[in-house]
C-alpha cells in the first residue's frame, strides 16, 4: 500500500438532491449506529451546507436515508435577529410539543434552488434528539432556530417546501395568524 492511501482522505462536500429526486419523498430511517461513518457523514453534510450557504441541511438532501440533520443559524438579511450558533447535529429528532402561536416567514430550500416560500411555523417547540455520541438531548427552541428545525424535520418526513406550501394547514394557519393581529 502506498503511504498516501494509509492516510484518511479529507472530507468532501456531497452533491445536493433536487426536487423530483425520489430520496426527497422518502421517510428517513432511524440511526442505530453511532460510529465513525455517521460522524463522517455529518462532516460531509456540514461541508455541503456551508458550500451552498445554507443554515441547515438534512441527510436525504445528500442522498442518505438516515434520520439526521444539521442546523446552523446565523443573522441574515431576512432574519437579522437570528442568533449565531455553532452547527448542531440532530439525530433521530422528535417534536414533543409545539406552541399554538404560529409565525409566517420566508424560507428557501437547497433542494428547490431560486425559489422562496412564505411558510407558517410554530413559534416555539420542545424537541428531543440524539447527538453524534448517541446521547439524548432535550431543549426548547424558538424563532428562527425553531423554524430551521421544523424545515429540516419536514425533510426527514419526505416533505419539501413544495408540498408544505400546498398543505391545507398553511391556509388554516394563515387565517389563525391573521386573527391574532
Ligand atoms: O434544508 C435546507 O434546504 C436548507 C435551508 C434551511 C432553511 C432556510 C430558511 C428557513 C428555514 C430553513 C436553507 O438554508 S436555504 C437558504 C436560505 O433560505 C437562507 C440562508 C441563509 C439565511 C436565511 C435563509
Ligand atoms: Zn430544504
Amino acid at each position: 500500500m502506498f503511504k498516501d492511501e494509509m492516510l484518511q482522505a479529507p472530507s468532501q462536500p456531497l452533491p445536493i438532491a433536487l426536487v423530483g429526486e425520489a430520496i426527497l419523498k422518502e421517510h428517513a430511517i432511524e440511526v442505530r449506529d453511532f460510529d465513525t461513518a455517521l460522524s463522517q457523514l455529518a462532516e460531509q453534510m456540514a461541508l455541503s451546507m456551508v458550500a451552498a450557504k445554507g443554515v441547515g441541511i438534512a441527510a436525504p438532501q445528500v442522498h442518505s436515508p438516515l434520520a439526521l440533520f444539521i442546523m446552523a443559524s446565523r443573522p441574515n438579511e431576512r432574519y437579522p435577529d437570528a442568533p449565531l450558533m455553532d452547527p448542531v447535529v440532530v439525530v433521530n429528532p422528535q417534536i414533543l410539543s409545539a406552541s399554538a402561536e404560529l409565525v409566517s416567514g420566508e424560507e428557501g430550500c437547497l433542494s428547490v434552488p431560486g425559489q422562496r416560500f412564505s411558510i407558517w411555523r410554530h413559534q416555539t417547540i420542545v424537541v428531543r434528539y440524539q447527538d453524534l455520541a448517541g446521547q439524548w438531548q432535550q431543549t426548547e427552541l424558538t424563532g428562527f432556530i425553531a423554524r430551521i428545525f421544523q424545515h429540516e424535520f419536514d425533510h426527514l418526513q419526505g416533505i419539501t417546501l413544495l408540498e408544505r406550501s400546498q398543505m391545507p394547514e398553511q391556509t388554516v394557519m394563515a387565517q389563525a395568524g391573521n386573527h391574532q393581529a
Side-chain angles (χ1 to χ4, degrees), residues 13-180:
L14 297 165
I16 293 178
L18 299 176
V19 274
E21 295 193 54
I23 186 80
L24 295 177
K25 292 265 188 188
E26 285 163 22
H27 208 285
I29 299 167
E30 181 187 351
V31 172
R32 291 182 181 277
D33 297 324
F34 292 83
D35 53 13
T36 50
L38 184 69
S39 299
Q40 169 82 10
L41 172 61
E43 202 174 309
Q44 289 187 279
M45 286 169 58
L47 290 174
S48 304
M49 178 186 73
V50 169
K53 299 186 168 49
V55 288
I57 193 164
Q61 291 182 283
V62 293
H63 305 89
S64 163
L66 295 177
L68 77 147
F69 61 74
I70 297 176
M71 13 179 234
S73 164
R74 62 172 189 276
N76 56 83
E77 246 177 52
R78 260 178 201 81
Y79 301 93
D81 299 329
L84 177 64
M85 66 190 272
D86 287 330
V88 173
V89 181
V90 172
V91 183
N92 297 330
Q94 302 167 359
I95 298 180
L96 301 179
S97 64
S99 65
E101 185 188 357
L102 302 164
V103 276
S104 178
E106 273 204 16
E107 294 181 20
C109 179
L110 302 181
S111 297
V112 192
Q115 290 194 55
R116 298 266 166 185
F117 299 81
S118 280
I119 301 289
W120 289 88
R121 300 286 190 190
H122 299 282
Q123 167 67 4
T124 304
I125 50 178
V126 177
V127 302
R128 187 170 177 263
Y129 61 89
Q130 285 169 285
D131 60 24
L132 277 176
Q135 294 300 308
W136 283 99
Q137 310 289 335
Q138 186 168 323
T139 187
E140 183 178 276
L141 304 175
T142 190
F144 188 56
I145 300 179
R147 177 173 294 279
I148 298 172
F149 193 102
Q150 290 169 82
H151 178 116
E152 304 308 336
F153 191 83
D154 271 355
H155 276 304
L156 302 186
Q157 319 298 312
I159 298 167
T160 70
L161 289 183
L162 291 184
E163 293 85 43
R164 174 59 71 190
S165 62
Q166 295 303 314
M167 285 181 180
E169 295 96 299
Q170 289 295 312
T171 320
V172 175
M173 288 178 179
Q175 286 164 356
N178 287 341
H179 287 306
Q180 278 173 5

